[in-house]
Amino acid sequence: MDTALLIDDVRLTPVLISDPPLLNTQGVHQPYTPRLIVEVVTRGGVTGVGETYGDGAYLAPARPLAEALPGHPVTDVNGLFTLAERVCGGSPTPEGDPQGVDAGGLRGVRTADKLRLSVVSAVEVACLDALGKTLGLPVHALLGGKVRDTVDYSAYLFYRWAEHPAGGEKDDWGAALDPAGIVAQARRFVAGHGFRSFKLKGGVFEPDQEIAAVRALAEAFPGRPLRLDPNGAWSVETSLYVARQLGGVLEYLEDPASGTDRMAEVAAGTDVPLATNMCVTTFPEIAGAFARGAVQVVLSDHHYWGGLHRTRELAAVCRAFGVGLSMHSNTHLGISLAAMTHVAATVPNLDYACDSHYPWQTEDVITARHVFRDGRLAVSDAPGLGVELDRERLAALHRRWLDDDGTLRERDDAAAMRQADPEWVTPAVPRW
């Protein structure tokens, strides 16, 4: 083994990044959200970067893994999983979450295994970035080579307030609380980024209000693909009602009901394809969902599945079973978007435009922001991920994390909602 490819040091930098007041079924995004930046430094002096969730539950396993990594080859990404299982230990599912839903990612039950996978994902990406820089190859070449030069992304539409009730950064988007507001938001995304498909985050208002918003989008953008995602907020009966109302309008309906059992019931009663990033987020969850026909589209997420190689494994399974594939997004920075774009470029069966929160994020830790053109990102052929850390900006966002009293270091959409409505509690599902 070339000693230059051995890990010499790992740096973990938690940050707080600004987040707009975007609404979902659990509440509203906080003014700032935590992310974790991972740097892997090789003995050859090359630094690779990765990114994942920054809540305390993720920092806990990240720290012992970082301490155990020196001496590990950056080429041995398969070995990261065994190492993480050995040194990270287990932790119980967090309390205070009666629906078993991770408020940060809305991904279903949060377990110690899922936490480890999300941490390993950032380390794997950092290792691939370092390896690519060392060899002079882009990450997509390390994954087998790209099959497309650009990756399609979808406009991610949200009901939102004009500003946070308790401070935070301000923007000029204004409120979007009705169909007209959603259509105006979509027009701005088209004008600024050229998006050609649209996803609306639902589960915020009565279903008929959200049906009206989707119909308004269909009228404003005839023929454009549309998706609706209420994050499991509806009953089976409500899900089927919405599917009937929007049959022929939606490209797919994402997680209308919570859990594989309910999704299977909905799927049996409608021809509208059902997508998920909640009931299929690990390999053990695949068999039951696919066998029962509960989902027709899986939204992969390299943070959930353990990195870029395992995302490609998921894609192969979906291809074998004839299940569609897209990619999920949560509040992320440019490192994660670069990683997402590299792996998306290597997957033959990327059937739908990918999600991305990135246009909502005004802050970043890379020197040059990604630019969408015609709703697409060009796939970088530069060594590694093709991004560089802005160390001054990274330090500033880390200082924000250090200065926080702990209130914002854990993403909690319900707590943020209580700033406006002190009586708010996380709604039980089904909400409607």
Side-chain angles (χ1 to χ4, degrees), residues 1 10 56 91 114-115 121 126 190 209 224 306 323 331 419 425:
M1 166 59 67
V10 177
S91 60
K114 290 182 179 181
L115 292 170
S121 74
V190 171
Q209 291 180 247
R224 300 287 186 91
V323 172
T331 307
Q419 295 290 330
V425 294

Side-chain angles (χ1 to χ4, degrees), residues 353-365:
C354 303
D355 294 347
S356 180
H357 283 66
Y358 191 72
W360 287 113
Q361 311 311 138
T362 57
E363 298 180 327
D364 212 333
V365 295

Side-chain angles (χ1 to χ4, degrees), residues 26-98:
Q26 293 203 336
V28 64
H29 288 203
Q30 296 179 141
Y32 302 96
T33 197
R35 299 293 289 180
L36 175 63
I37 308 304
V38 176
E39 297 176 73
V40 167
V41 184
T42 70
R43 292 184 185 173
V46 176
T47 299
V49 295
E51 174 195 342
T52 191
Y53 299 98
D55 306 65
Y58 297 90
L59 290 174
R63 289 174 175 134
L65 180 58
E67 292 173 358
L69 279 168
H72 189 91
V74 293
T75 54
D76 184 18
V77 292
N78 287 338
L80 294 174
F81 300 95
T82 301
L83 181 62
E85 288 176 5
R86 178 168 61 83
V87 304
C88 294
S91 60
T93 300
E95 297 177 359
D97 189 17

Side-chain angles (χ1 to χ4, degrees), residues 216-422:
L217 288 169
E219 182 177 351
F221 303 96
R224 300 287 186 91
L226 304 175
R227 304 117 178 229
L228 176 59
D229 172 21
N231 283 125
W234 301 335
S235 67
V236 170
E237 293 74 19
T238 299
S239 300
L240 290 170
Y241 168 75
V242 174
R244 287 194 300 271
Q245 296 298 311
L246 295 177
V249 177
L250 289 176
E251 182 179 40
Y252 59 67
L253 181 57
E254 182 181 338
D255 286 307
S258 180
T260 297
D261 290 346
R262 288 172 176 159
M263 288 283 283
E265 287 188 67
V266 177
T270 182
D271 292 329
V272 176
L274 302 187
T276 188
N277 75 279
M278 292 178 65
C279 64
V280 179
T281 62
T282 64
F283 284 99
E285 294 170 333
I286 289 176
F290 284 15
R292 299 177 64 186
V295 297
Q296 288 72 55
V297 183
V298 171
L299 276 68
S300 68
D301 185 318
H302 69 274
H303 307 91
Y304 290 8
W305 293 86
L308 308 189
H309 284 285
R310 289 202 171 184
T311 298
R312 284 181 45 80
E313 292 174 15
L314 169 65
V317 173
C318 288
R319 186 163 64 248
F321 282 88
V323 172
L325 185 74
S326 184
M327 289 193 177
H328 163 262
S329 162
N330 200 9
T331 307
H332 59 214
L333 295 168
I335 298 170
S336 280
L337 183 57
M340 182 177 175
T341 302
H342 274 274
V343 70
T346 71
V347 173
N349 56 311
L350 189 65
D351 304 293
Y352 303 90
C354 303
D355 294 347
S356 180
H357 283 66
Y358 191 72
W360 287 113
Q361 311 311 138
T362 57
E363 298 180 327
D364 212 333
V365 295
I366 59 175
T367 55
R369 283 184 63 85
H370 299 286
V371 177
F372 295 91
R373 292 186 172 88
D374 296 325
R376 301 184 178 104
L377 283 184
V379 181
S380 172
D381 289 323
L385 291 174
V387 300
E388 295 295 333
L389 276 179
D390 182 332
R391 298 218 167 260
E392 184 176 340
R393 194 64 192 140
L394 177 66
L397 298 179
H398 180 53
R399 283 195 299 272
R400 183 187 285 162
W401 184 88
L402 290 171
D403 292 342
D404 179 63
D405 62 4
T407 303
L408 298 174
R409 292 184 185 181
E410 309 293 330
R411 179 171 163 181
D412 188 338
D413 294 353
M417 180 65 85
R418 283 193 288 273
Q419 295 290 330
D421 178 6

